[in-house]
């Protein structure tokens, strides 16, 4: 079996784009928890800390691996919880190991079961599960997944939506895809994202990334998504707002760290400073002094926090 690619879950995707794209949109709901899963997580009959704890354990196991591995493992976890309900507290570690193990096998990632368990236990003397025990739990997870391990995730739709933007520069297109992927990875832990289909999350993440990186081209990108027949525009608006909140928390965390150090502004900061300089030079405004870095960051947070108007959606 070929290595599973989150961006290309269907065979010959690039050879038959029309049929494959239609298939992706048709079957994506089979690879995510049902809508009532999000409602049950919010309800009092499900201890939300269970999901949070297992995700934390998966993150510990995956700290030295590709970030797509824990993303796939958490996808398996959510689909398992939606099917089986809340597990017993003592099975949290076993469930985390099993979801991690299945994701690693799908991505053909080599690992030592003993080493990853030791990493998770941090030498606290916790039990080391036998191979047969892990395999039995893996079988339970596979049953809950109905053996659909080639998950359709937001990454599956990144190539399709990014091509709609008609960015000719390969490097810039890759920068946009990379930033959208970062946003998708970051937002997975947010319960609110579970309300949306993978395609909606992908479209919203690309829109948010384009608003960050290419603000002048953003209206064109918004129109491209709006004109896509596969997209529910109201859902994109709602998902965009959720992603915006997640990204704002990310920026505030980074800025708080930078404000207490002498770390130079990063490339994205320089990009926005350049845009600010161009705007100033293009007007009749009186000369201004250089913006203090801290003041600039404060205004940048405000800019990202403002709600983007989706007036182009009709």
């Amino acid at each position: 079996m070929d290595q599973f690619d989150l961006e290309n879950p269907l065979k010959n995707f690039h050879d038959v784009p029309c049929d494959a794209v239609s298939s992706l949109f048709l079957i994506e709901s089979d690879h995510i928890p049902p809508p009532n899963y999000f409602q049950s997580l919010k309800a009092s009959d499900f201890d939300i800390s269970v999901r949070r704890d297992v995700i934390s354990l998966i993150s510990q196991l995956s700290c030295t691996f590709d970030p797509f591995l824990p993303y796939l493992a958490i996808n398996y976890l959510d689909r398992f919880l939606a099917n089986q309900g809340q597990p017993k507290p003592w099975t949290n570690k076993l469930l985390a190991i099993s979801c991690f193990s299945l994701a690693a096998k799908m991505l053909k990632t080599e690992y030592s079961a003993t080493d990853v368990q030791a990493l998770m236990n941090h030498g606290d003397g916790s039990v080391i599960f036998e191979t047969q025990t892990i395999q039995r739990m893996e079988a339970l997870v596979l049953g809950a997944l109905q053996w659909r391990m080639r998950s359709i995730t937001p990454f599956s739709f990144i190539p399709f939506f990014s091509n709609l933007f008609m960015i000719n520069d390969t490097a810039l297109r890759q920068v946009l895809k990379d930033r959208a992927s970062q946003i998708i990875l970051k937002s997975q832990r947010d319960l609110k994202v579970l309300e949306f289909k993978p395609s909606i999350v992908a479209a919203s993440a690309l829109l948010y990334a384009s608003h960050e990186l290419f603000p002048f081209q953003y209206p064109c990108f918004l129109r491209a998504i709006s004109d896509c027949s596969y997209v529910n525009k109201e859902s994109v608006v709602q998902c965009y707002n959720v992603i915006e909140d997640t990204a704002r928390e990310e920026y505030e965390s980074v800025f708080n760290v930078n404000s207490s150090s002498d770390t130079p502004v990063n490339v994205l900061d320089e990009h926005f400073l350049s845009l600010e300089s161009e705007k100033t030079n293009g007007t009749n405004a009186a000369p201004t002094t250089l913006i203090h870095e801290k003041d600039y960051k404060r205004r940048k947070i405000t800019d990202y926090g403002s709600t983007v108007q989706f007036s182009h959606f009709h």
Side-chain angles (χ1 to χ4, degrees), residues 61 65 97 100 104 109-119 134:
L61 293 170
F65 296 92
I97 293 170
F100 168 87
T109 301
E110 295 183 0
Y111 72 97
S112 166
T114 302
D115 289 346
V116 296
Q117 289 196 69
L119 175 65
I134 297 174

Side-chain angles (χ1 to χ4, degrees), residues 6-207:
L6 284 170
E7 278 198 9
N8 188 14
L10 300 182
K11 187 178 180 179
N12 298 324
F13 171 80
H14 296 293
D15 295 335
V16 284
C18 292
D19 292 340
V21 167
S22 299
S23 297
L24 281 174
F25 283 96
L26 284 174
I27 67 176
E28 63 174 322
S29 295
D30 295 334
H31 296 260
I32 59 175
N36 65 332
Y37 175 60
F38 172 71
Q39 299 300 328
S40 66
L41 287 177
K42 293 196 304 180
S44 58
D45 58 345
F46 193 104
D47 185 357
I48 193 60
S49 66
V50 172
R51 179 181 186 267
R52 183 173 61 248
D53 290 346
V54 178
I55 288 178
S56 178
L57 293 170
I58 291 174
S59 298
Q60 291 180 42
L61 293 170
S62 311
C63 62
T64 60
F65 296 92
D66 187 295
F68 292 114
L69 195 160
Y71 190 95
L72 185 60
I74 295 171
N75 172 271
Y76 293 163
L77 168 66
D78 281 324
R79 291 163 61 191
F80 174 83
L81 294 178
N83 181 277
Q84 297 292 315
Q86 183 170 315
K88 300 294 184 181
W90 66 269
T91 64
N92 284 3
K93 285 188 177 182
L94 182 58
L95 180 57
I97 293 170
S98 300
C99 290
F100 168 87
S101 175
L102 289 172
K105 291 174 182 176
M106 281 301 295
L107 297 175
K108 293 191 177 299
T109 301
E110 295 183 0
Y111 72 97
S112 166
T114 302
D115 289 346
V116 296
Q117 289 196 69
L119 175 65
M120 183 171 61
N121 292 329
H122 291 296
D124 61 2
S126 298
V127 62
I128 299 296
F129 296 106
E130 295 182 353
T131 301
Q132 294 86 346
T133 303
I134 297 174
Q135 290 175 343
R136 284 196 293 270
M137 178 58 81
E138 287 180 353
L140 289 176
V141 174
L142 288 171
L145 300 180
Q146 296 180 328
W147 288 81
R148 293 170 176 159
M149 298 178 68
R150 303 182 71 86
S151 297
I152 307 300
T153 69
F155 301 106
S156 309
F157 298 91
I158 291 291
F160 170 74
F161 285 122
S162 61
N163 286 337
L164 296 181
F165 290 177
M166 303 296 289
I167 300 176
N168 295 324
D169 189 302
T170 303
L172 290 179
R173 189 186 310 120
Q174 189 61 48
V175 167
L176 177 64
K177 292 172 63 176
D178 289 346
R179 178 54 185 151
S181 295
Q182 291 175 353
I183 292 170
I184 292 169
L185 289 167
K186 181 73 175 180
S187 65
Q188 188 185 29
R189 297 181 181 225
D190 192 333
L191 286 177
K192 296 178 183 177
V193 175
L194 295 173
E195 291 187 86
F196 306 102
K197 294 181 179 180
S199 59
I200 297 299
V201 176
S204 302
L206 278 167
L207 278 177

